[in-house]
Amino acid sequence: MSSAAYLLLEDGTVFKGKAFGAKGEVEGEVVYSTNMTGFGESLTSPKHSDKILLQTFPLVGNVGVDEEVMASKCNAAGYILREYCDEPSNFRCESTLGEFMEKRGIVGLQGIDTRRLTHMIRDNGGSLKGKIVVGEE
């Protein structure tokens, strides 16, 4: 059973979802990526260093993680998704995205209205400060 998780934004907006990946809290600049594939590249990109990354594509994790492909250092501090798939189906899959993130200390939040959040970020010049907090249901 996953814990409840919250995204608290600098303007006072709160999004409630479910946690995945590492437990804990993370704060930073919330930015978005419109990539349809390659979540690994998004998480390891130096431009996302210490940022909370919002993935606009609605389902992420369905191919799992190939550790060889994801060997680079993860730079994102947090990851936000509309829907996280914890049962990947790919012959190269060695772990789930959640397991990968847990090993690397990346806090995840899923199950929120990512479309609304993307519009908020875009309307605020491309980023908002925020904090992901994992709590009790």
Side-chain angles (χ1 to χ4, degrees):
M1 180 163 171
S2 62
S3 300
Y6 304 87
L7 174 64
L8 314 171
L9 295 174
E10 65 182 312
D11 68 358
T13 305
V14 177
F15 288 87
K16 180 183 178 188
K18 293 183 180 175
F20 74 103
K23 302 295 181 231
E25 295 182 3
V26 63
E27 61 183 271
E29 183 180 19
V30 183
V31 298
Y32 63 87
S33 170
T34 58
N35 292 352
M36 291 176 62
T37 60
F39 63 82
E41 288 81 1
S42 295
L43 288 171
T44 58
S45 173
K47 74 178 183 178
H48 296 136
S49 185
D50 300 323
K51 300 206 178 351
I52 298 173
L53 179 62
L54 164 65
Q55 196 73 51
T56 61
F57 193 73
L59 175 65
V60 177
N62 54 323
V63 295
V65 173
D66 176 347
E67 295 287 339
E68 186 176 325
V69 172
M70 296 286 287
S72 300
K73 176 184 182 280
C74 279
N75 290 300
Y79 202 32
I80 301 172
L81 309 173
R82 170 71 188 128
E83 184 178 354
Y84 161 65
C85 177
D86 65 355
E87 294 181 15
S89 60
N90 183 315
F91 71 97
R92 291 188 198 156
C93 175
E94 296 172 342
S95 67
T96 67
L97 174 59
E99 292 165 343
F100 175 81
M101 289 172 49
E102 187 172 1
K103 282 191 249 178
R104 285 157 180 82
I106 302 169
V107 177
L109 169 66
Q110 64 136 340
I112 68 166
D113 185 349
T114 55
R115 180 181 240 172
R116 178 177 167 226
L117 179 55
T118 302
H119 284 278
M120 291 175 69
I121 293 169
R122 187 193 62 209
D123 294 345
N124 195 59
S127 72
L128 277 169
K129 289 190 172 130
K131 182 176 189 177
I132 297 175
V133 178
V134 177
E136 297 300 317
E137 193 66 54

